[in-house]
Amino acid sequence: MNFTGITLQFLTKLLTTFLFLPSDWSLRDQRTTCLSLGSRLHLENTTIIHVSYVPGGSKVHTLGTSRTCAPTAIVTVPLCRVQFFTNTTDTSSVHAEAWLPDEWYGRFLGLGNGGLGGCIDYNRLDYGAALHFATVGSDNGHDGAGGLPFLGRPEVINDFAFRAIHIEAVIGKQIAEAYYGQPHDKAYYLGCSTGGRQGTQAALKYPADFDGILAGAPATDFNHLVHWVAMLSRSTGAPTPASSPAYIPLRLWKVVTEEVLNQCDAIDGVLDGIITEPDACDFRPQSLLCYGGAGVNDTCLSLPQVEALQRIYSPLQLNGRFVYPRYDPGAEGNPESIEIFNGQIPSNGEDWIKYAVFNDTEFDFRNYGNEHLVVMDKINPGGISTFDGDLSAFRDRGGKFLTYHGRMDHLIASGNSKRFYDLVADTLGTPSLDDFYRLFLIPGMGHCLGGPGASNFGQLGAGTNAVNQSSHNILLALVDWVEGGVELDTITGTTTDGAHTRVHCRYPATSVWDGSAFVCS
């Protein structure tokens, strides 16, 4: 049961934590304790850059020099801030921060990143600390959001692919123990997109690092994802849209979205601009073809443009072999989809292909095609693919794996999360993974957050935490599952304007309109 938004398990945990903290903890000058931490820490291959005590409500300057990373961050609650770097090899290192809140409930939280991830995620550091986790985030082994640091540096790629999150767990837990005078009780992970892939890789490669993993929109089967996005862009004329008859300008994407909704919005029983189950949408772009010799205008498309849509809304194949799921009908209505369909190769994919795979700063995307995927699969830099279904080691030690994916995700097809779930079920030889793995598909949500649906359920930060209790906050629900055995069948999301809520269902249950609300069936 809930008591003013705090679960009974939570209250029990809080009491237990304070009972077992050092006897003088409540009497200590926490600022003094914090500032002395630097001289007391002796960690393998690790240098403490700076230790500071930060009052709640402060603004601080951040690590890193790249202009692609935020220069300042807000600190909501009073905490001890530890900035450090760990040398992972002679040619690579991971920079990270530990935010250790005064009010700690015995939990550790590691954080993932997004994109090509070279910026510490300070918003989520603050979110974790405000929820009383000892929270650690890193730069994934390079500075800045671009991929140039990967050029000719395989160990930097290894940090990005798998090692940085392991460093967060190993070094971060030691820092937390040194500060609080006792080890953590349970360890959690929070990430989306690249961060979702990193969490999945942690469960596969380092199953003892975390007790509970929250992995949103995981970029699993990473090389195929990068190739799929590049081929989506190529389908509509990238990187030379001016000379491509298949290029679809922005004004016509609005026409496409209207027709997708015209054909599929009513399938779920409600005309609300949201397609609950995109897999049920058999979108027929031929209806947009200009007939009778009419030229392309603001209401119809040319044959090459229609053929491009047919490729986009079909699974990607290579010589008859499945490569990646189709683009979700309705996702093109996400304004951010222009990132893929603007006539250029999206920068994250472009950088990965140029710098990590081919080590070629002059790589020519005018000739990019399926043959390049064969090379990418063979090289698989850093073992980044992350498409192994054997989560048995994580499961067998009691780990809980919780994931979600927006059905309007413009960057990663939500069908890929279904695909990975089914891969794990097939690999482990069990049709149900409910004991340790649950997937939530979120209608009307974009990439990790946002969109017209009920897309706020505590998944990423304070801005998504509409109701601070486990029925509405998926991170707190994960805590309840790990620590109290409270199984998660639904999660309630809230729209970004706070006006509406919707219950989201665990896969393979489906969301069905019963005449007054969506229910799980």
Side-chain angles (χ1 to χ4, degrees):
M1 64 179 293
N2 284 329
F3 179 72
T4 63
I6 302 177
T7 63
L8 181 60
Q9 290 86 359
F10 175 85
L11 290 171
T12 303
K13 173 65 184 174
L14 175 59
L15 177 61
T16 302
T17 297
F18 281 122
L19 285 174
F20 286 96
L21 279 173
S23 59
D24 63 340
W25 178 257
S26 61
L27 302 177
R28 289 180 182 176
D29 179 345
Q30 289 173 305
R31 182 177 186 278
T32 301
T33 303
C34 173
L35 296 181
S36 70
L37 186 60
S39 62
R40 294 187 284 116
L41 288 172
H42 304 285
L43 306 170
E44 185 177 5
N45 298 322
T46 297
T47 299
I48 303 301
I49 300 170
H50 188 63
V51 178
S52 57
Y53 183 78
V54 185
S58 300
K59 179 184 287 187
V60 296
H61 292 284
T62 63
L63 277 175
T65 59
S66 172
R67 293 182 179 179
T68 60
C69 301
T72 61
I74 299 297
V75 180
T76 300
V77 298
L79 53 81
C80 183
R81 180 190 187 195
V82 182
Q83 299 165 284
F84 65 96
F85 70 87
T86 298
N87 292 319
T88 51
T89 69
D90 291 341
T91 59
S92 59
S93 63
V94 172
H95 286 72
E97 294 202 18
W99 285 22
L100 311 172
D102 285 3
E103 193 173 353
W104 180 57
Y105 296 167
R107 300 181 182 120
F108 176 85
L109 181 67
L111 300 176
N113 296 64
L116 295 184
C119 300
I120 295 174
D121 194 328
Y122 287 94
N123 287 334
R124 290 171 208 170
L125 272 172
D126 185 59
Y127 182 51
L131 290 177
H132 314 292
F133 293 84
T135 308
V136 178
S138 76
D139 68 354
N140 281 344
H142 63 281
D143 187 23
L148 183 58
F150 298 143
L151 183 65
R153 302 174 70 190
E155 293 298 345
V156 173
I157 294 174
N158 286 338
D159 283 343
F160 172 70
F162 65 88
R163 198 160 47 202
I165 303 303
H166 183 55
I167 291 296
E168 287 182 20
V170 173
I171 302 300
K173 290 174 185 178
Q174 293 179 59
I175 292 173
E177 181 174 357
Y179 180 59
Y180 293 113
Q182 68 173 63
H184 72 284
D185 185 47
K186 295 294 182 182
Y188 298 89
Y189 173 86
L190 173 71
C192 189
S193 191
T194 284
R197 185 203 61 77
Q198 291 171 314
T200 306
Q201 187 77 300
L204 288 165
K205 201 172 185 70
Y206 302 106
D209 278 357
F210 301 104
D211 301 290
I213 291 175
L214 180 57
T220 53
D221 202 4
F222 185 81
N223 295 310
H224 285 206
L225 165 63
V226 169
H227 176 71
W228 173 72
V229 170
M231 293 305 291
L232 288 177
S233 299
R234 292 281 288 138
S235 293
T236 54
T240 54
S243 61
S244 172
Y247 176 65
I248 302 174
L250 178 59
R251 71 179 191 280
L252 287 179
W253 277 109
K254 296 178 181 179
V255 175
V256 174
T257 295
E258 289 174 358
E259 183 59 19
V260 169
L261 292 176
N262 179 56
Q263 293 186 25
C264 297
D265 188 10
I267 292 175
D268 59 16
V270 182
L271 290 172
D272 57 358
I274 296 172
I275 301 172
T276 293
E277 178 49 81
D279 291 345
C281 175
D282 182 19
F283 175 54
R284 299 174 300 281
Q286 299 91 328
S287 61
L288 292 171
L289 184 64
C290 298
Y291 284 104
V296 175
N297 53 48
D298 288 342
T299 62
C300 63
L301 278 66
S302 69
L303 181 59
Q305 290 170 329
V306 168
E307 290 173 340
L309 291 179
Q310 289 173 325
R311 290 190 293 272
I312 289 167
Y313 295 108
S314 299
L316 181 63
Q317 295 188 339
L318 173 60
N319 298 326
R321 177 174 63 92
F322 179 91
V323 172
Y324 203 80
R326 69 172 183 164
Y327 200 76
D328 284 321
E332 77 294 319
N334 185 334
E336 295 182 7
S337 65
I338 193 63
E339 179 181 354
I340 293 178
F341 301 121
N342 64 3
Q344 301 300 319
I345 305 295
S347 59
N348 285 335
E350 179 182 16
D351 280 8
W352 181 255
I353 292 167
K354 286 168 60 176
Y355 303 131
V357 178
F358 292 102
N359 280 297
D360 182 0
T361 59
E362 303 299 323
F363 187 89
D364 188 353
F365 280 91
R366 291 176 298 179
N367 299 315
Y368 185 83
N370 280 334
E371 64 275 11
H372 293 95
L373 176 61
V374 177
V375 179
M376 204 181 312
D377 277 342
K378 183 177 181 180
I379 297 174
N380 190 23
I384 201 169
S385 175
T386 318
F387 204 67
D388 179 353
D390 188 3
L391 289 175
S392 59
F394 181 74
R395 175 200 62 190
D396 292 348
R397 64 173 301 275
K400 305 299 183 186
F401 191 76
L402 187 54
T403 187
Y404 60 89
H405 207 136
R407 305 310 306 261
M408 283 184 68
D409 192 325
H410 71 289
L411 282 179
I412 303 175
S414 64
N416 198 53
S417 282
K418 285 186 175 183
R419 179 174 166 240
F420 186 77
Y421 182 97
D422 294 342
L423 172 68
V424 174
D426 290 344
T427 302
L428 299 184
T430 174
S432 175
L433 304 175
D434 284 352
D435 286 348
F436 83 101
Y437 182 177
R438 300 202 174 191
L439 163 64
F440 288 81
L441 299 169
I442 313 298
M445 187 174 83
H447 185 58
C448 296
L449 74 172
S455 59
N456 286 344
F457 45 94
Q459 71 271 32
L460 284 182
T464 65
N465 191 23
V467 181
N468 195 40
Q469 59 187 35
S470 56
S471 59
H472 293 66
N473 183 305
I474 198 167
L475 176 58
L476 298 183
L478 177 61
V479 170
D480 278 358
W481 191 16
V482 169
E483 299 178 18
V486 181
E487 296 181 344
L488 184 63
D489 290 323
T490 64
I491 192 74
T492 300
T494 304
T495 54
T496 54
D497 62 5
H500 303 284
T501 62
R502 178 171 176 172
V503 172
H504 301 304
C505 314
R506 64 172 173 82
Y507 178 75
T510 57
S511 183
V512 178
W513 180 253
D514 70 356
S516 59
F518 282 100
V519 297
C520 298
S521 175

